[in-house]
Amino acid sequence: MDDLQAYTIVSRYHHGQRVGERDYCYRVVSGAVRQYAIQPDGRRQIIDLLLPGDSFGFEAPDGERFAAEAIVEGTMLASYPWRRLLADPNPEVAQRIRDGASDVICRLQRQLLVVGRVKAPEKVGAFLLELAERLLLQPGEEVRLPVSRYDIADYLAISVETVSRSITDLQHRGAIRLGGARQVTIINPDILDMSAAHH
Amino acid sequence: MDDLQAYTIVSRYHHGQRVGERDYCYRVVSGAVRQYAIQPDGRRQIIDLLLPGDSFGFEAPDGERFAAEAIVEGTMLASYPWRRLLADPNPEVAQRIRDGASDVICRLQRQLLVVGRVKAPEKVGAFLLELAERLLLQPGEEVRLPVSRYDIADYLAISVETVSRSITDLQHRGAIRLGGARQVTIINPDILDMSAAHH
DNA sequence: CGGGGAATTGAGAATCGTCAAGCCAGGTGG
DNA sequence: CCACCTGGCTTGACGATTCTCAATTCCCCG
């Protein structure tokens, strides 16, 4: 841990600023980051959404890597040079790498489950629950969305309009309440994640 | 590498046999494995498809893990005990772990891109291309599908019928040719991955 | 030569994407 | 201080795609 701090460089990023030297991996200190790819048809697909505490950049230190950029103005990222991490004999450093990679895997797997859901309101509901959980919010506490509707759409692989309609739908069903477009209060989590139930 | 071999246990699995002790990670020697979850609505969602050479089981050595089972009769898996891997001071072992985790991450990211596609024929097309690439087939060589239509459906998050219709569609467009339900020849890769093109 | 699961095909209903218009909030400049 | 303007968000209508249910065919295996 102290070893790591010797390598750590914390930097500040602007909204939309590109991040992702191939030779570094990162940890989000504050703010949010999106990792995305542009599909052959021109659509943007968000691969991963990084929140405070999340790490990324563990894939293929030598291969291709997807583009990443800060979403929130003033996002703070800690960066670690791969070369040094690999050279460090300290077993704690190795463990940090494993833990970071494991986190990434779990996040991607859970995201795959969300995207794999059938109906749009389920996807949005699962997204909101996941977000609340990852932000370590108390049940009933208001969720401040760090992302736009467009980001949510590209993250869930549905259109912006459908995201909007899903949110309205969940609201009408009494699952959530809105206090501004980016402030959501989860009222009934049960409705949210198994909103598969009949029309 | 030689170090690893000391830990390695290769076992044979039957079709549908469960695999996945929490304390082990695995590498596919031959055959195929599916890793899946059951959604709250009862649907099965395949998270990852493991082919020869692929590793899995790097997520959360201490947390939850998704169910996995062999798809092909006689699947051979090499298993490695986590405890020993972590205790091994050999840097090569540590590197193996990192490489395995990196592979998993890349696979999940690519799968996220496939599932995120809009139309079913694109998903199926991308799946076939990915499969051909991962099986190290020459261009034009016949792909032997290790999975059923149901597996493809649960992997791509679409219904079996849609998978079938997509394959028929791709066939009619001259992108692929079928020699039996599980033997596909890719004729025109270009049509396959950007089949987004109008109707 | 049969089973029987896998795969395909069809038809109707439900869902989603697209196009278009309208709304709302924050920021700018007169 | 207010009008305006821009970008994000919402809503509506319609066409396209997919899901569901059902029936039929295929093919592997005993």
Side-chain angles (χ1 to χ4, degrees), chain A:
Chain A
M1 180 137 162
D2 289 318
D3 253 2
L4 267 185
Q5 299 214 343
Y7 305 153
T8 309
I9 302 174
V10 178
S11 308
R12 188 174 191 279
Y13 291 81
H14 294 291
H15 174 286
Q17 185 178 350
R18 192 68 177 285
V19 42
E21 307 292 332
R22 252 154 304 283
D23 306 319
Y24 288 79
C25 61
Y26 300 85
R27 192 172 53 79
V28 179
V29 176
S30 70
V33 171
R34 64 185 165 220
Q35 206 172 356
Y36 64 93
I38 303 297
Q39 299 272 37
D41 60 10
R43 264 184 353 101
R44 179 186 70 164
Q45 169 77 27
I46 293 184
I47 297 297
D48 202 357
L49 179 64
L50 294 316
L51 301 177
D54 293 333
S55 301
F56 66 103
F58 293 91
E59 62 273 25
D62 50 335
E64 288 286 323
R65 182 181 294 184
F66 292 108
E69 53 189 40
I71 302 179
V72 177
E73 176 63 28
T75 290
M76 302 292 286
L77 298 182
S79 57
Y80 310 88
W82 262 115
R83 178 180 300 274
R84 287 190 154 179
L85 292 182
L86 295 182
D88 195 313
N90 187 337
E92 275 201 24
V93 172
Q95 164 138 9
R96 282 302 190 90
I97 296 179
R98 284 195 304 271
D99 288 348
S102 177
D103 280 352
V104 174
I105 292 174
C106 289
R107 218 164 43 231
L108 290 174
Q109 287 180 334
R110 297 179 68 169
Q111 177 61 10
L112 221 29
L113 286 183
V114 174
V115 176
R117 296 197 99 121
V118 276
K119 295 176 189 172
E122 299 176 47
K123 294 190 185 184
V124 176
F127 168 75
L128 291 175
L129 280 179
E130 178 102 4
L131 197 61
E133 182 182 340
R134 286 173 60 189
L135 290 174
L136 306 174
L137 299 182
Q138 305 299 325
E141 191 175 352
E142 191 177 62
V143 182
R144 291 177 38 82
L145 301 179
V147 293
S148 70
R149 297 287 189 271
Y150 291 89
D151 288 324
I152 299 177
D154 292 344
Y155 192 41
L156 302 178
I158 56 183
S159 69
V160 199
E161 294 90 335
T162 301
V163 173
S164 193
R165 276 185 258 269
S166 298
I167 291 179
T168 305
D169 181 38
L170 292 173
Q171 209 174 349
H172 287 158
R173 281 199 260 169
I176 61 175
R177 183 189 311 279
L178 259 67
R182 296 212 182 178
Q183 297 182 341
V184 182
T185 306
I186 297 179
I187 298 178
N188 192 334
D190 297 333
I191 299 182
L192 272 190
D193 70 0
M194 43 157 291
S195 62
H198 41 67
H199 46 115

Side-chain angles (χ1 to χ4, degrees), chain B residues 119-121 157-159 161-162 165:
Chain B
K119 294 177 189 170
I158 54 182
S159 70
E161 294 91 333
T162 301
R165 277 185 258 270

Side-chain angles (χ1 to χ4, degrees), chain B residues 25-127:
Chain B
C25 61
Y26 301 85
R27 193 172 52 81
V28 179
V29 176
S30 71
V33 171
R34 64 183 166 221
Q35 205 173 358
Y36 64 93
I38 304 297
Q39 298 272 36
D41 59 8
R43 266 188 347 106
R44 179 186 69 165
Q45 169 77 28
I46 294 184
I47 297 296
D48 203 357
L49 180 65
L50 294 315
L51 301 176
D54 293 333
S55 302
F56 65 104
F58 292 94
E59 61 273 25
D62 51 334
E64 290 285 324
R65 184 180 293 183
F66 292 109
E69 52 190 40
I71 302 179
V72 177
E73 178 63 29
T75 291
M76 303 292 285
L77 298 184
S79 57
Y80 310 89
W82 262 114
R83 178 179 301 273
R84 287 191 153 178
L85 292 183
L86 295 183
D88 195 314
N90 188 336
E92 277 201 20
V93 172
Q95 164 139 11
R96 282 302 189 92
I97 296 178
R98 283 195 304 271
D99 288 348
S102 178
D103 279 352
V104 175
I105 292 174
C106 289
R107 217 163 44 232
L108 290 174
Q109 287 180 336
R110 295 179 68 168
Q111 176 61 9
L112 221 28
L113 286 182
V114 175
V115 176
R117 296 198 100 124
V118 275
K119 294 177 189 170
E122 298 176 47
K123 294 190 185 184
V124 175
F127 168 75

